[in-house]
Amino acid sequence: MRNIDLIVFCAAAFLAVGVASAQPALPKGYAGSEICQTCHEDIYNNFVKSPHWAIDSNGVHGFQGRSCEGCHGPAQTHTESGSAEDIRNPGKISSGAADKVCLECHLNQQTHIGRLTSSHMKDAVSCTACHKVHSAEPGGLVDRRPASINKQCGSCHNNVWSQFQKPYHHRLPEEAMSCVDCHNPHGSVRPSMTQTFAANDAGCLKCHGDKRGPFTFEHAALRYEGCGACHETHGSANPRMLTRQEVRYVCLECHANLPFPPSQTTKASIGVVPPSFHDLLSARYRNCTVCHQKIHGSYVDRNLLR
Amino acid sequence: MRAFCILAAAIPLLAQEPAKDQAPPAPATASAPAPDASSPVPATEQRFTGYIDLGYRWQTGVGGSLDTYRSIVNLGAGPKLLGADFSIVNPRHHLYDRIDVRAQSWGDEPSESLHVEVRKLKLYDFNADYRDFAYFNYLPSYADPLLSSNGLILNEQSFDTRRRIGTFSLDLLPQSWVVPYVAYEHDGGSGTGATAFVSDGDEFPVPYTMFDRMELYRGGVRIERKKFHVTLEAGGNTFGNNQQLYQSTGQTNYGNVLTPYLGQDLHLNNLIGSYGITGSSVYGKGLVTANLTSDIDVYGQFLYSEPKTDTSYSQYNTGNFVLQNQLLFYTGQQFLLAAAATNPHVTGSAGVEIRPFRRVRIVEDWMTDRLHVAGASNSSNLLTGHTPATQINAGLLSSIYTNYNQNEVHVFFELSKKFTLHGGYRYVWGNANNVVLPPSGLPTPDKGDLRRNVALGGITFRASQKLLLTGDVEGAASGGVYFRTSLYDYQKVRAQARYQAMDSLSFTVDFNLLNNQNPLPGVKYDFLAHQESLSMMWSPRFAKNWTIQGSYSRSSVYSNISYLEPEFLTAGQSLYRDDAHSATALITGNLKHYFGLAPTVTAGGSLFISSGSRPTEYFQPFAKFMLPVYKHVEWFGEWTYYGYGEAFYLYEGFRSHLVTTGVRLTR
């Protein structure tokens, strides 16, 4: 019996040595994730449920067994001193430096294709401003509930959120939509970081597909300047979220160029004056879209009448 | 047995890291089971967590305009699935690891949504998103040409439709370096409405039905390596859009012109108008990012799409109509049209980030967007009711294109850890043209050039851990724009201060300004918009269970531009003003010490008050309580008031109280 115990003990010891040697040795200066847990247990317990925990066992990024230090840097000095000065905190360094930490792994991903055009990048809004790196939320590092997204965006874009309090608005306060339905916070080829649809069309067309066309007869304003040429896209006090209180002003402000332009007016020339039978004293002609009902473009009529 | 016990006891120890001299031992590892590193779902996690809200809503009835209420709010009474948000985890990890479900506002609601996400680590990630929107719009004053003379008659641009949007995507092998994915999207709308059937000399409000649908299929692959990434995607869609205008026989519709035209009444007796539009599209895109060196990152993307449509339109109408340019009266019309359009659209962009010094970053990007729509139509117009019948055939070609280009360079300089400056320059150029052949009436100058020079600057200053200041300015001078109201010589300013006064109290202050001037003769556009906002969040220490959030915003828009009255080409002035105040507030309290119960109460809401060209008031106060009544059951009640008023269109005002109660089932 004692011999069996001895054999088993030797086998266990052999296995222990083998397994221990299979664990990657920590580079100099690193402490390992489990050491971090000693003092930061709450964060650690949350972190093990987060998507980032995968790098603790995943060899792709080279942070096996030291996932905390993947972002916070070598922590051995910090574990000895206990001082916050001896550890990198991406939440408290400059946004450029914080982004560099995240982009160490995330730069070459589809999400960041528009990073260099993003106003968030230019305005020094770092990744950690929106992403909770230790988060164990179901959707990942950012809460994907529309209400949570809107609250998060609105905490900085307070002025935009106030526009949604106007009577005619996209349904964000009702939590039917979120900011990221229309905007890509990581950047986009389109103005105002708007989402794209079917490669390079405006993201508006995902929900307003009937406005996509191509129409046989296009309304140039829609193609050249987008929906924002006539609509306040967040919200407006004007019906249909128009930029002006009456339809005719929306139209006439552009449709006021004489048909034979001097060279000077070619600098802002698209949109000719309507023919003279449009008597604005008559109520019939004050609501342009009564007749020009296919105002976004027509499949049938060059004057957008049907 | 003892041998097995020794072996079993040794294995957890073997799995530990070798102890390091300087490190204290981890206290939890030996006693508590380590989380499963292969899964983000710990084995101890509950199988089902989340909540489901079921309830019933009462409405007091709408005072004022029900049509306006439905156009803006559109919430009704009845039983509802108000919300659900739950997760199901699978401890065995067979087929799936986790299912997350979110649902919102089901039960004849104007915005219904459902989101389902099913994941299995490293195998697949499936997302389904479904939304059902009610689009209702029937504002009495909108697009009613008879409003000023006859009062409220009919909104000639109204609709009552539903739009259903579904998106389904499947990513395979997530977190690996090659991720294939496929997706399917559906967007469909259907409903009824009112529009105008337009003929020469009169237009007739008529009802219509509509149905459109779009199916999009896409698939691709993402290749992600440490030094580069490539995404290739291809997709395509099919599209259909049908609309029918009709007026039944036996009715006489006199339209908007009630006075005789050259002694004859114009009217519509019968109409069948039918649009049949079908279309398809293909697209492809390629995205690349790479680190050329440790200090140089590059990216590029190429996007191409080419939607096409085919149109078949037929129209049969009887009544009494006139062709004004020939003074020709007719009683019957058959109009048939076939048309097609195509829209090749190419977008490309490229950029580089260079870090020549530790504190300096240079970012340059270039973008081009080239869009061309070409259309052609053939129509046959047969006018009957006179002798001989008139047949008018027409063939039209249309073309619209726009080329947009942009080049921008930006330099970021970190003066210190607290202070970052950036500045740059953007040049925008392009051209556009819009033509229909053969021309009709006077030749039109529908072409333009775009030339814009933009200077950019900004600052980020973290004065302390509690105070962050950011600001951006943008100033531009243009040598050509497309429209009279386009951005021409403009300045944009944005500034923000965020101050964490205490751990429990924070403030954010914003200022935004846009000033746009177009001094060209015949334009004289003057536009100024600015907005100031203040928001705060306070969790007072003396009342730890309370949180107060609030925001206030004041905005002002001033726009002044001349236009030409079409009839006599006399100068008119379009003057628009909008001075608005809006505020939101939310107070949440947890009344743990009252009556042995622990209700949570929330109160707040929003208000909007504006003056100027369309003075408007809109109030949405609400109050809510939630009371745990059983282990996994909470009872809640909510009151909401909607009040809307306009100074110029008094008859569009409305007010309504909504009371909702229900139960929240939690786990």
Side-chain angles (χ1 to χ4, degrees):
Chain A
M1 192 64 181
R2 291 182 60 155
N3 290 340
I4 293 173
D5 286 350
L6 187 62
I7 292 167
V8 170
F9 181 78
C10 290
F14 178 76
L15 197 56
V17 171
V19 173
S21 62
Q23 293 282 342
L26 291 172
K28 188 179 180 183
Y30 285 85
S33 301
E34 291 178 357
I35 301 302
C36 305
Q37 181 193 13
T38 311
C39 296
H40 305 284
E41 189 171 3
D42 289 347
I43 296 173
Y44 183 91
N45 290 340
N46 216 28
F47 185 58
V48 297
K49 300 175 192 171
S50 85
H52 268 146
W53 178 248
I55 65 174
D56 208 83
S57 58
N58 187 332
V60 173
H61 300 289
F63 294 114
Q64 279 173 289
R66 52 190 175 104
S67 52
C68 304
E69 292 157 293
C71 300
H72 292 281
Q76 188 172 327
T77 309
H78 169 68
T79 59
E80 291 165 359
S81 68
S83 168
E85 298 293 321
D86 293 328
I87 191 78
R88 180 169 68 202
N89 186 341
K92 293 182 178 177
I93 57 179
S94 73
S95 64
D99 287 353
K100 193 177 175 185
V101 172
C102 302
L103 295 171
E104 192 75 27
C105 297
H106 292 287
L107 176 66
N108 289 311
Q109 289 179 345
Q110 183 195 20
T111 316
H112 300 288
I113 189 71
R115 186 180 68 89
L116 298 185
T117 59
S118 157
S119 60
H120 280 155
M121 188 277 285
K122 289 167 185 165
D123 292 340
V125 178
S126 74
C127 310
T128 53
C130 302
H131 294 282
K132 295 178 180 66
V133 178
H134 307 119
S135 172
E137 290 289 337
L141 304 182
V142 63
D143 193 335
R144 315 235 169 186
R145 299 171 183 90
S148 304
I149 294 169
N150 298 339
K151 185 179 176 184
Q152 179 149 357
C153 300
S155 68
C156 289
H157 299 278
N158 192 19
N159 56 323
V160 177
W161 187 246
S162 70
Q163 294 168 25
F164 288 107
Q165 311 312 320
K166 297 179 179 181
Y168 302 96
H169 57 259
H170 274 115
R171 293 172 185 168
L172 276 81
E174 291 81 3
E175 302 176 12
M177 298 176 66
S178 75
C179 305
V180 298
D181 283 327
C182 303
H183 297 279
N184 184 343
H186 295 111
S188 164
V189 290
R190 299 198 63 84
S192 303
M193 295 161 64
T194 44
Q195 296 276 12
T196 56
F197 165 75
N200 51 4
D201 278 339
C204 314
L205 300 173
K206 181 171 181 180
C207 295
H208 301 280
D210 55 323
K211 311 289 189 298
R212 186 190 188 197
F215 299 105
T216 318
F217 306 99
E218 296 275 350
H219 188 187
L222 188 64
R223 289 293 182 189
Y224 298 162
E225 299 221 332
C227 308
C230 303
H231 297 281
E232 295 281 1
T233 49
H234 294 133
S236 171
N238 306 315
R240 311 276 173 102
M241 297 162 65
L242 290 175
T243 54
R244 300 290 181 261
Q245 77 277 20
E246 290 182 31
V247 176
R248 60 173 161 154
Y249 293 125
V250 179
C251 306
L252 288 170
E253 288 187 2
C254 285
H255 287 278
N257 285 316
L258 292 171
F260 294 104
S263 59
Q264 182 76 329
T265 58
T266 58
K267 293 178 178 178
S269 65
I270 296 175
V272 291
V273 128
S276 60
F277 65 82
H278 291 82
D279 172 16
L280 294 185
L281 295 176
S282 162
R284 272 179 76 204
Y285 295 107
R286 286 197 206 132
N287 288 298
C288 310
T289 51
V290 166
C291 294
H292 302 281
Q293 53 186 280
K294 302 295 184 186
I295 198 64
H296 298 101
S298 172
Y299 295 104
V300 174
D301 189 87
R302 67 187 300 165
N303 295 314
L304 316 184
L305 296 174
R306 54 190 165 192
Chain B
M1 185 63 192
R2 265 195 303 173
F4 178 76
C5 290
I6 292 170
L7 193 60
I11 286 173
L13 297 173
L14 304 178
Q16 292 182 40
E17 287 283 316
K20 288 174 268 302
D21 295 339
Q22 72 280 14
T29 46
S31 54
D36 181 1
S38 67
S39 169
V41 182
T44 54
E45 193 166 339
Q46 248 182 317
R47 187 176 174 84
F48 181 98
T49 54
Y51 68 85
I52 297 172
D53 287 349
L54 300 167
Y56 191 92
R57 183 187 297 134
W58 288 267
Q59 189 173 21
T60 57
V62 177
S65 170
L66 175 63
D67 291 328
T68 311
Y69 171 82
R70 289 201 62 200
S71 300
I72 294 177
V73 183
N74 210 12
L75 291 172
K80 314 283 178 189
L81 168 62
L82 295 161
D85 190 343
F86 58 85
S87 301
I88 302 167
V89 298
N90 181 1
R92 296 185 175 184
H93 305 290
H94 290 161
L95 298 176
Y96 69 94
D97 288 333
R98 179 179 193 120
I99 300 174
D100 295 305
V101 179
R102 292 194 304 270
Q104 180 90 17
S105 300
W106 284 83
D108 197 24
E109 292 279 86
S111 311
E112 300 174 340
S113 65
L114 173 67
H115 183 88
V116 178
E117 184 171 349
V118 186
R119 282 178 290 162
K120 179 153 179 63
L121 194 79
K122 296 183 180 177
L123 189 61
Y124 71 86
D125 193 347
F126 173 74
N127 279 276
D129 193 82
Y130 176 78
R131 304 186 201 197
D132 186 339
F133 292 112
Y135 284 161
F136 182 92
N137 198 298
Y138 195 107
L139 297 173
S141 66
Y142 187 79
D144 180 357
L146 303 181
L147 181 65
S148 60
S149 54
N150 292 10
L152 308 181
I153 301 296
L154 180 67
N155 178 326
E156 296 183 3
Q157 288 289 323
S158 63
F159 47 83
D160 183 4
T161 61
R162 287 203 86 97
R163 183 155 290 279
R164 296 172 179 87
I165 301 165
T167 304
F168 308 89
S169 67
L170 176 66
D171 288 15
L172 299 172
L173 309 175
Q175 297 183 18
S176 67
W177 65 276
V178 179
V179 181
Y181 60 92
V182 291
Y184 163 72
E185 297 177 17
H186 168 84
D187 174 13
S190 60
T192 58
T195 187
F197 168 65
V198 183
S199 76
D200 251 15
D202 201 355
E203 56 280 340
F204 308 91
V206 293
Y208 73 84
T209 60
M210 59 80 67
F211 169 77
D212 70 74
R213 53 138 196 97
M214 190 273 301
E215 322 285 341
L216 186 142
Y217 311 86
R218 60 189 173 87
V221 61
R222 292 195 297 269
I223 301 169
E224 292 177 0
R225 303 295 289 171
K226 189 165 177 61
K227 291 292 182 185
F228 74 92
H229 140 260
V230 177
T231 295
L232 299 171
E233 180 178 308
N237 70 357
T238 59
F239 170 73
N241 190 349
N242 298 311
Q243 185 179 344
Q244 282 81 39
L245 285 66
Y246 55 92
Q247 176 165 299
S248 307
T249 309
Q251 297 175 341
T252 302
N253 184 340
Y254 290 98
N256 293 327
V257 179
L258 303 178
T259 53
Y261 186 91
L262 295 178
Q264 292 197 36
D265 283 333
L266 301 178
H267 58 265
L268 173 71
N269 287 339
N270 179 262
L271 169 69
I272 300 173
S274 178
Y275 296 80
I277 293 116
T278 58
S280 63
S281 172
V282 291
Y283 78 82
K285 66 179 182 183
L287 318 173
V288 178
T289 63
N291 306 97
L292 293 186
T293 71
S294 62
D295 294 323
I296 300 178
D297 304 331
V298 295
Y299 85 90
Q301 53 186 324
F302 177 80
L303 315 168
Y304 176 77
S305 63
E306 188 173 358
K308 298 174 181 176
T309 52
D310 292 300
T311 302
S312 170
Y313 176 75
S314 60
Q315 170 196 315
Y316 306 92
N317 50 288
T318 59
N320 194 33
F321 313 97
V322 64
L323 197 60
Q324 287 179 306
N325 60 2
Q326 299 178 25
L327 291 179
L328 175 68
F329 287 90
Y330 58 94
T331 57
Q333 181 181 21
Q334 174 187 284
F335 183 82
L336 303 173
L337 176 138
T342 182
N343 173 23
H345 185 184
V346 180
T347 307
S349 71
V352 60
E353 178 177 0
I354 305 169
R355 296 176 288 273
F357 308 106
R358 192 168 61 87
R359 293 186 172 183
V360 176
R361 287 186 294 147
I362 301 169
V363 173
E364 178 163 15
D365 63 80
W366 165 85
M367 196 268 268
T368 185
D369 187 55
R370 292 161 183 270
L371 180 150
H372 183 202
V373 181
S377 71
N378 272 307
S379 64
S380 161
N381 193 2
L382 177 65
L383 309 178
T384 58
H386 57 280
T387 308
T390 303
Q391 172 96 30
I392 303 169
N393 295 326
L396 295 175
L397 296 173
S398 69
S399 170
I400 184 171
Y401 72 75
T402 172
N403 297 320
Y404 177 92
N405 307 283
Q406 176 179 307
N407 186 212
E408 181 174 322
V409 62
H410 234 90
V411 179
F412 297 82
F413 180 43
E414 266 185 42
L415 280 173
S416 69
K417 284 184 178 177
K418 296 181 176 179
F419 210 157
T420 304
L421 286 172
H422 66 93
Y425 168 73
R426 180 193 304 146
Y427 180 56
V428 178
W429 73 103
N431 55 356
N433 195 2
N434 180 17
V435 64
V436 178
L437 296 173
S440 169
L442 296 170
T444 61
D446 275 358
K447 63 180 180 181
D449 290 317
L450 178 63
R451 297 281 182 277
R452 187 179 293 148
N453 295 280
V454 188
L456 309 158
I459 180 175
T460 304
F461 179 43
R462 187 178 286 277
S464 68
Q465 284 296 331
K466 292 186 173 183
L467 179 61
L468 175 65
L469 304 169
T470 56
D472 292 286
V473 293
E474 190 174 318
S478 298
V481 293
Y482 297 144
F483 301 107
R484 302 166 88 241
T485 52
S486 300
L487 289 175
Y488 197 83
D489 294 341
Y490 74 88
Q491 300 85 43
K492 279 184 187 175
V493 178
R494 189 189 67 83
Q496 184 177 73
R498 310 190 77 182
Y499 181 55
Q500 186 85 34
M502 294 181 281
D503 288 345
S504 57
L505 178 63
S506 61
F507 295 96
T508 303
V509 181
D510 287 281
F511 171 72
N512 291 270
L513 179 142
L514 171 61
N515 178 34
N516 183 30
Q517 306 286 324
N518 189 332
L520 291 176
V523 180
K524 302 284 187 190
Y525 185 38
D526 180 9
F527 179 90
L528 177 66
H530 60 90
Q531 187 170 2
E532 300 84 31
S533 305
L534 167 68
S535 67
M536 57 87 74
M537 184 165 181
W538 188 30
S539 305
R541 287 188 176 179
F542 57 84
K544 288 184 179 176
N545 298 324
W546 289 87
T547 303
I548 301 169
Q549 297 174 57
S551 67
Y552 166 76
S553 182
R554 179 186 178 279
S555 64
S556 176
V557 177
Y558 167 81
S559 170
N560 190 355
I561 189 171
S562 63
Y563 65 88
L564 296 173
E565 296 269 3
E567 196 174 21
F568 302 109
L569 297 181
T570 54
Q573 206 71 19
S574 172
L575 184 63
Y576 179 73
R577 290 198 76 101
D578 182 45
D579 295 303
H581 303 265
S582 65
T584 61
L586 186 68
I587 302 172
T588 305
N590 198 345
L591 308 178
K592 283 189 174 174
H593 307 293
Y594 288 83
F595 312 113
L597 299 170
T600 301
V601 294
T602 309
S606 72
L607 67 86
F608 171 80
I609 301 171
S610 72
S611 59
S613 301
R614 195 181 184 102
T616 303
E617 295 178 348
Y618 188 40
F619 303 100
Q620 304 171 79
F622 84 97
K624 182 177 181 178
F625 74 88
M626 187 161 275
L627 182 66
V629 292
Y630 195 63
K631 189 178 178 183
H632 296 298
V633 181
E634 293 178 79
W635 171 46
F636 63 84
E638 183 176 337
W639 162 81
T640 311
Y641 171 78
Y642 293 95
Y644 175 77
E646 288 189 55
F648 297 156
Y649 306 91
L650 291 170
Y651 47 82
E652 289 193 350
F654 65 80
R655 59 219 163 266
S656 181
H657 295 268
L658 301 174
V659 177
T660 309
T661 188
V663 291
R664 166 171 288 190
L665 309 174
T666 60
R667 184 75 183 172

